[in-house]
Amino acid sequence: LCLKLIYPHERREKIIETLRKVGRIDVLKDAKLLGISSSTLHRDLAEREKLGHLKKLRGGASLVDGPQIHSRFNIRLGDNIRKKETIARNAIKKIKDDTSIFLDHSSTVFYLAREIKHSNYKNLIILTNSLAIPFELSPEIGVKVIMLGGIVEHEFRALSGRLLMETIRNFNLHQAFVSVAAISAEKGLMTQALFIQEFLPKLFSHANEINILADSSKFQKIGALQIAPLNSAMKVFSDNELSDSVRSELLQHVSEIII
């Protein structure tokens, strides 16, 4: 198994892939295959351990015991890391202080929460249906996190249901930041999950601006359930692998595409 890669983000993604296939990372062996020092690999493993992807052991790391590592949310945290980090860095530039925003439960938006954590807000109100984001942001001065109620969706680390939809009616949001399973100019926003299809249209009606965070792979898919058509209240954040033809089609419907 050759793991030698050039870029750090690709190296970290390969670490997760190796854990899924082999079940263990051996620092001495795999550091050589990656072309890095043992100390660098230890730092990579420590970072992934904080995200719940693995458990560090003497001389390496293994998959986390129990179902957490296998949840959709935790698996997706380790996918397309570079793209998600780039999208998050662009999205945070649009968030102003003294506003109220919504962050959904997706792994891409979680990376945005991590950017917020390292920023200097004085009065930012964040509403979320994520079970992960409040723990990521709760200690931060200047950020108030409000977790909306609902039924726990363990695989997504999210809240869903009637209570969630009823609670959102009490708030006026400057911005909403969400991700979806698939997007197209023709079919709009799509998902595979019924609770997402039910909730997002309700959310959109309470947000002045809708920001869709989706890496370029989402534009090559079709979701089973349609959420909403694209419209001029929406901005799309993606990566530089999004083709010119797709960008051109999207700009006929949304206000802006940020790469």
Side-chain angles (χ1 to χ4, degrees), residues 105 129 156 160-161 164-165 179-181 187 189-204 223-228:
H105 61 277
N129 72 321
F156 295 89
S160 70
L164 177 64
M165 289 185 279
S179 188
V180 294
K187 297 184 181 296
L189 308 177
M190 294 165 280
T191 182
Q192 297 293 103
L194 182 59
F195 84 91
I196 296 174
Q197 184 201 35
E198 292 174 340
F199 173 64
L200 286 190
K202 299 287 186 183
L203 169 68
F204 292 165
L225 303 169
Q226 288 184 274
I227 299 169

Side-chain angles (χ1 to χ4, degrees), residues 1 38-39 81 138 155 165 171:
L1 176 64
S38 296
S39 60
I81 295 171
S138 58
E155 278 294 292
M165 289 185 279
F171 295 93

Side-chain angles (χ1 to χ4, degrees), residues 137-250:
L137 292 178
S138 58
E140 301 312 305
I141 297 173
V143 176
K144 182 183 290 295
V145 182
I146 301 173
M147 182 185 287
L148 303 177
I151 300 168
V152 175
E153 302 283 346
H154 291 283
E155 278 294 292
F156 295 89
R157 295 188 70 185
L159 296 169
S160 70
R162 180 179 297 177
L163 181 58
L164 177 64
M165 289 185 279
E166 289 178 351
T167 307
I168 200 70
R169 294 174 186 169
N170 298 319
F171 295 93
N172 295 313
L173 298 165
H174 294 88
Q175 297 170 299
F177 293 85
V178 304
S179 188
V180 294
I183 308 175
S184 77
E186 178 184 359
K187 297 184 181 296
L189 308 177
M190 294 165 280
T191 182
Q192 297 293 103
L194 182 59
F195 84 91
I196 296 174
Q197 184 201 35
E198 292 174 340
F199 173 64
L200 286 190
K202 299 287 186 183
L203 169 68
F204 292 165
S205 67
H206 294 276
N208 293 332
E209 178 185 290
I210 301 162
N211 298 278
I212 311 300
L213 281 55
D215 68 72
S216 51
S217 68
K218 302 290 182 69
F219 299 86
Q220 303 167 9
K221 298 177 180 178
I222 297 294
L225 303 169
Q226 288 184 274
I227 299 169
L230 301 177
N231 63 57
S232 58
M234 295 179 179
K235 295 181 180 180
V236 173
F237 292 79
S238 192
D239 58 79
N240 58 13
E241 293 183 21
L242 189 65
S243 69
D244 291 339
S245 61
V246 171
R247 293 187 204 184
S248 178
E249 290 177 354
L250 291 174

Side-chain angles (χ1 to χ4, degrees), residues 72-123:
R72 295 186 187 186
F73 176 81
N74 284 81
I75 289 172
R76 286 174 178 170
L77 271 180
D79 293 335
N80 296 318
I81 295 171
R82 175 183 60 86
K83 293 179 180 179
K84 291 175 181 179
E85 289 176 339
T86 299
I87 290 169
R89 284 193 294 268
N90 287 331
I92 196 171
K93 296 174 185 177
K94 303 294 185 179
I95 300 176
K96 297 179 180 179
D97 215 341
D98 294 310
T99 62
S100 58
I101 67 173
F102 178 86
L103 302 181
D104 82 352
H105 61 277
S106 66
S107 60
T108 305
V109 173
F110 182 81
Y111 279 94
L112 174 57
R114 293 184 73 188
E115 291 294 322
I116 292 172
K117 180 178 180 178
H118 299 296
S119 299
N120 296 313
Y121 289 100
K122 296 180 180 179
N123 183 31

